[in-house]
Amino acid sequence: MAIRQITIVGVGLIGGSFSLALRRQGFTGRIVGCDRAAVLDRALVRGAIDEGFSHPFEATRGSQVVLIATPVLGIIDLIHRLGPTLPAKTLLTDVGSTKSEVLEQARAVFGKNTGAHFLAGHPMAGKEQSGIEFADAELFRGAAWFLTPVRGQKIYEGVSGEFLDWVDRMGARIASLDAHEHDRLCAWISHLPQMISTALAATLVDEYGQEAPLLEAGGRVLREMTRTSSSPYSVWRDIALTNKKPLQDAISKLEQRLAHIRENLDTRELAMEFERARELRKAEPQPPGAERGQRKN
């Protein structure tokens, strides 16, 4: 069944970028947005949506795919509220940065039919800015798009398969893995770097004040390390709440490493740390389960 209409709940950076990417790749169906009225007005001006509704039940009417692009706690709430109301053939999917609690809610709503109704997803793409104003049709090109399917889910069949074909056309690299492994991995490769950036920026403000010319004097390294410190708390609050244990473990191990470096600034151990760190860049492996262009049942 061809996808004739897609609803995007949350027309911000990710939802808006997905819509713009769909259009760039030739999607001719109808794109409906769901958000606050002011956001929908800006999305209409940008050409990201054809029509907008503030109420999700109105916005999803007639859609074959419903993409939830809100912060994680919003995703969980919308699965609970929207899931039972959607037609059996409508695919509900999301772009949440954590997956275990999202899938738990989907299973609570859909039960043994979860695989037929819900596809858990997470594009590893974004910017430090948020909002439809910063949406970019090329945002997903080259980025991993993680999927955490339930056991036996045939993600490349039916509406799900057609949806993933559009994701592939956008240039994303589709990768499938277990939800708990996803959350542990993302705690290390996404959530911990954000917390490092936040902690470094906050500490610099404490040490030098808001007006100190730190970024100019520090050069590219400092700019890159503090770039994401301006990311919105509203997004990261939900990530921290739904991935608390893996993120705590990652922070604890980094604290131990920093303490080791602190205690060995004048020993050979520091050189060994630098040598160990260089091993990270010796190879650039594909994300776990990467399978762009392949179709697996």
Side-chain angles (χ1 to χ4, degrees):
M1 177 178 67
I3 298 173
R4 302 181 302 278
Q5 179 174 302
I6 295 178
T7 294
I8 300 173
V9 184
V11 195
L13 173 65
I14 300 299
S17 294
F18 184 81
S19 177
L20 294 174
L22 277 175
R23 288 299 188 216
R24 179 163 294 185
Q25 296 308 315
F27 180 73
T28 58
R30 180 179 171 82
I31 302 177
V32 179
C34 180
D35 214 308
R36 292 177 288 110
V39 175
L40 295 173
D41 288 343
R42 295 195 294 272
L44 284 165
V45 169
R46 286 211 60 184
I49 59 175
D50 297 307
E51 190 174 8
F53 297 90
S54 295
H55 199 292
F57 296 102
E58 291 181 288
T60 57
R61 190 175 295 119
S63 286
Q64 288 75 49
V65 174
V66 176
L67 175 75
I68 308 177
T70 68
V72 177
L73 293 182
I75 291 170
I76 292 171
D77 177 64
L78 283 163
I79 293 172
H80 171 73
R81 292 194 292 128
L82 278 178
T85 73
L86 295 175
K89 294 184 179 180
T90 297
L91 174 70
L92 183 63
T93 185
D94 79 304
V95 295
S97 297
T98 64
K99 297 269 70 85
S100 295
E101 292 194 22
V102 168
L103 264 182
E104 183 179 338
Q105 180 65 273
R107 289 190 181 100
V109 171
F110 297 115
K112 64 181 181 180
N113 295 316
T114 300
H117 296 289
F118 183 75
L119 177 65
H122 174 207
M124 294 291 291
K127 300 178 181 179
E128 61 273 23
Q129 305 97 340
S130 62
I132 183 64
E133 297 84 357
F134 299 99
D136 180 0
E138 294 297 307
L139 185 67
F140 308 110
R141 188 163 302 282
W145 192 296
F146 286 132
L147 304 173
T148 59
V150 298
R151 185 182 298 275
Q153 185 171 4
K154 294 178 172 56
I155 60 176
Y156 289 116
E157 292 185 3
V159 178
S160 177
E162 187 177 346
F163 170 79
L164 291 178
D165 185 61
W166 286 109
V167 170
D168 185 71
R169 293 188 200 186
M170 294 174 190
R173 296 177 291 120
I174 298 170
S176 297
L177 67 166
D178 173 77
H180 293 292
E181 179 56 29
H182 166 277
D183 289 357
R184 179 177 179 273
L185 175 66
C186 286
W188 279 102
I189 68 174
S190 176
H191 309 162
L192 179 63
Q194 173 64 48
M195 298 308 164
I196 293 171
S197 179
T198 298
L200 177 58
T203 303
L204 288 171
V205 171
D206 288 347
E207 289 292 317
Y208 292 99
Q210 298 180 17
E211 304 304 323
L214 292 170
L215 295 181
E216 293 81 357
R220 181 177 61 85
V221 172
L222 184 62
R223 285 195 299 273
E224 286 299 308
M225 289 192 68
T226 57
R227 179 178 58 82
T228 62
S229 65
S230 60
S231 297
Y233 166 70
S234 60
V235 172
W236 287 98
R237 173 201 61 203
D238 288 13
I239 292 171
L241 287 172
T242 57
N243 205 28
K244 183 177 178 180
K245 184 59 167 60
L247 183 52
Q248 285 179 326
D249 289 344
I251 291 173
S252 178
K253 289 179 180 178
L254 179 62
E255 287 174 340
Q256 294 172 25
R257 202 83 186 203
L258 286 171
H260 178 71
I261 290 174
R262 183 191 64 214
E263 298 301 322
N264 288 279
L265 293 174
D266 56 354
T267 76
R268 175 62 187 170
E269 287 291 323
L270 182 62
M272 294 176 66
E273 289 296 296
F274 272 78
E275 290 169 9
R276 180 67 169 168
R278 286 171 59 86
E279 294 179 13
L280 183 65
R281 291 296 183 181
K282 288 182 179 179
E284 296 289 344
Q286 293 289 315
E291 50 194 34
R292 184 183 176 189
Q294 300 178 12
R295 294 291 181 266
K296 296 182 180 179
N297 292 332

